[in-house]
Amino acid sequence: MKIIHSDELINNKNHDFYKTSTLENLENVAQIIENIKKNGNSTIIEYSRKFGDGNFVSPDEFLVSDKEIDEAFNLTPEKTLKALNLCAQNIANFAKEQLKCIKNLDLKINNSHLGHKIIPLEKVMCYVPGGNYPLPSSALMTTIPAKIAGVKEIMLTSPKIKPQTIVAAKLAGADKIYKLGGVQAISAFAYGTETISAVDKIVGPGNKYVTFAKKYIYGKCDIDFLAGPSEVLIIADDEQNPELVSADILAQCEHDKDARGYLICFSEKFAQNVIQSANKQLETLSTKNIAKISFEKSIAIIAKDINEAIKISDLRAPEHLELMFKDADKLFDKFSNYGSLFIGSNCAEVFGDYCSGTNHVLPTNSAARYTGGLSVFDFIKIQTYQMLAKQHSWELSKIASEVAQQEGLMAHKLASDLRGYNEI
């Protein structure tokens, strides 16, 4: 981990700290998508074999069977099953409370009705990565909010799917579970094939190829957002335990070699203590081959005070933001840009990854400047309506006719005038 002073950042918006990963123009991804769009299942089988995501013989094998689901439950230890159930309960409880915050609206004006209805999406696909690690937690995080929102059909897919991921998908309420991954999975569910239904929305994290595929198919169906490598930013004062800080940083660094941990603190001594603690923890960490590379590319920033730390943090807009300093519970409202916020040293970021109830599918690449993480709101649509009384319609026609006249849209004016203003 490199130590720098805040002066390097305040007046240099091109510093590596602010840089975000980019999706290069992966022409092979576009070609894969177009081939699957044209040829369907046969091309999915071809690419799945080529990329090692599945040695399918026929499209019938794409879907996880009831027998495989039963086997997955039998292979999952009771302790793991209990933990997944508790995670699912907490995630569902949080999603239910979120949904209560938005309701149908019916506004009465002059005997007219204007309002909106909350309508769940019809079909969604939840993508769960299956690369370096199995991620049953992502099956819970993507599927449960969709279920709570009332989505009619939820399909989940993951390459090289593990028993615990199948179990999590079933516990979460997925209607169908598939063994497809990568670009071919995104393509199949965006456009549909002979045996796979096209969906209205695709959500969930993935590698750069999956992310590029989501970008490519956006418009054919909706997506959550384009996610990049995982990251955490921790603001810690000298009173904190360096061991806790370093452990939370390494928890992000072990995701992959492009993941990053950022520390904003107020003395070089504390930064050095965190680095020493991390190096000691890396000695026995089974994932150190990945975590060490990521940690060495991470950055510790020495800020002058908390106000400067807040400014730097908001400019970076991190995926995960941990506040580990005195009076964090009184100052957290001063932060505006983050995917998910963890206030106080009791709030390990990994609790948000797994079991506290908030979602771990979050914006990266500074996208937290304009969007939040995945939630129950991603699976509903708000549709407005109006039912106007005759008098109200007549009053509105006066306004609409004038605006239409100014815009030169004379059919608009005619449609308005016929409601009574000029009594044509």
Side-chain angles (χ1 to χ4, degrees), residues 37 101 157 197-198 205 308 315:
K37 183 179 174 182
C101 294
T157 191
S197 298
E308 191 173 70
L315 285 170

Side-chain angles (χ1 to χ4, degrees), residues 139-345:
L140 299 175
M141 295 287 178
T142 53
T143 306
I144 290 173
K147 194 72 175 179
I148 298 299
V151 173
K152 294 183 179 178
E153 187 173 6
I154 304 169
M155 290 167 274
L156 181 143
T157 191
S158 183
K160 304 175 185 177
I161 194 166
K162 299 293 192 297
Q164 56 267 51
T165 303
I166 294 174
V167 168
K170 195 65 180 175
L171 291 176
D175 296 297
K176 293 179 181 178
I177 307 169
Y178 289 83
K179 296 175 278 187
L180 299 173
V183 176
Q184 57 269 29
I186 302 301
S187 311
F189 287 96
Y191 296 101
T193 72
E194 304 92 316
T195 58
I196 295 173
S197 298
V199 299
D200 302 313
K201 187 163 189 171
I202 293 173
V203 303
N207 62 21
K208 64 182 180 180
Y209 298 100
V210 168
T211 303
F212 187 91
K214 286 169 68 177
K215 180 179 181 181
Y216 190 90
I217 60 87
Y218 176 64
K220 178 60 180 177
C221 66
D222 192 17
I223 62 171
D224 44 3
F225 42 74
L226 301 176
S230 190
E231 62 191 10
V232 64
L233 190 154
I234 301 175
I235 302 176
D237 61 26
D238 289 359
E239 303 304 313
Q240 303 305 311
N241 182 345
E243 191 175 11
L244 287 181
V245 176
S246 59
D248 285 1
I249 291 173
L250 292 179
Q252 288 307 303
C253 289
E254 72 179 349
H255 274 291
D256 60 63
K257 295 175 183 178
D258 292 321
R260 291 292 179 269
Y262 302 110
L263 169 65
I264 301 178
C265 58
F266 307 98
S267 72
E268 283 200 34
K269 181 180 179 181
F270 185 80
Q272 290 289 0
N273 288 340
V274 170
I275 292 171
Q276 290 173 12
S277 177
N279 288 330
K280 184 177 180 180
Q281 290 167 346
L282 279 166
E283 291 175 5
T284 57
L285 200 64
S286 61
T287 54
K288 65 181 178 182
N289 289 340
I290 293 174
K292 185 177 181 180
I293 293 172
S294 179
F295 181 73
E296 287 175 351
K297 295 179 180 179
S298 296
I299 299 173
I301 301 143
I302 313 303
K304 295 182 177 67
D305 54 38
I306 190 61
N307 290 324
E308 191 173 70
I310 292 170
K311 181 178 180 180
I312 293 169
S313 176
D314 270 354
L315 285 170
R316 186 61 182 83
E319 177 187 16
H320 307 96
L321 175 59
E322 292 190 35
L323 307 183
M324 299 173 67
F325 54 83
K326 184 180 178 181
D327 294 331
D329 58 331
K330 298 180 179 67
L331 295 173
F332 72 90
D333 277 342
K334 292 184 177 293
F335 293 84
S336 301
N337 300 333
Y338 51 81
S340 192
L341 183 63
F342 303 82
I343 305 163
S345 59

Side-chain angles (χ1 to χ4, degrees), residues 70-77 163:
D70 290 339
E71 288 175 353
F73 272 86
N74 290 332
L75 289 170
T76 301

